[in-house]
Amino acid sequence: MSLTYTVTVFPHHTDYAGVVWHGAYINWLEEARVVWLAEAGVGYAELVAEGIELPVMEMFVRYHRSARMGDRLLISAKTDQQGVRLLWEYQIYRHSELCLTAQVSLVPVDMHRGKILRSLPKSLEGAIAKLVQSN
């Protein structure tokens, strides 16, 4: 499975000048991550139903070039696991131009106790293993 996801920039993603608002990129990263997890076998709603959340612990973003209204953007990513920490590295392209790079770190949290889990749930571990293999 290739970790690619495509978005189209609509007017509500942009400022008055038609340039993508910086926060829209972050929304697209999360949207892509949720889709990739589902394609690998674990739906985000299933995790929440099990009482598990995946909050962002760290995020580093570098904006290289602005995207504009009407652009089609390609999001690509690699993922890895370090203990219970899930690491994602992203690139967003407009044609062959790099618009954004980002690194996002997530951890599984027991929503009822408010504590980081000591190990990944089996379903999530299996999905991450599939995604890592596709890197």
Side-chain angles (χ1 to χ4, degrees), residues 1-3 79-80 125-135:
M1 163 187 338
S2 176
L3 296 182
T79 188
D80 201 5
E125 189 172 42
I128 294 298
K130 287 179 189 177
L131 294 171
V132 168
Q133 288 176 0
S134 69
N135 288 338

Side-chain angles (χ1 to χ4, degrees), residues 7-83:
V7 296
T8 299
V9 178
F10 292 110
H12 66 275
H13 298 131
T14 66
D15 61 17
Y16 64 90
V19 175
V20 171
W21 172 67
H22 68 280
Y25 296 99
I26 307 306
N27 290 332
W28 293 327
L29 299 180
E30 184 164 356
E31 186 178 308
R33 185 170 61 244
V34 168
V35 167
W36 291 324
L37 285 171
E39 288 176 356
V42 64
Y44 208 89
E46 295 169 32
L47 289 175
V48 172
E50 292 175 30
I52 299 164
E53 180 63 81
L54 292 174
V56 171
M57 298 300 292
E58 291 181 315
M59 179 182 293
F60 301 97
V61 177
R62 179 158 186 223
Y63 299 93
H64 299 271
R65 186 175 303 265
S66 296
R68 301 188 66 80
M69 189 177 351
D71 286 343
R72 292 219 4 114
L73 306 176
L74 176 71
I75 302 171
S76 65
K78 294 189 306 186
T79 188
D80 201 5
Q81 179 183 346
Q82 291 181 349

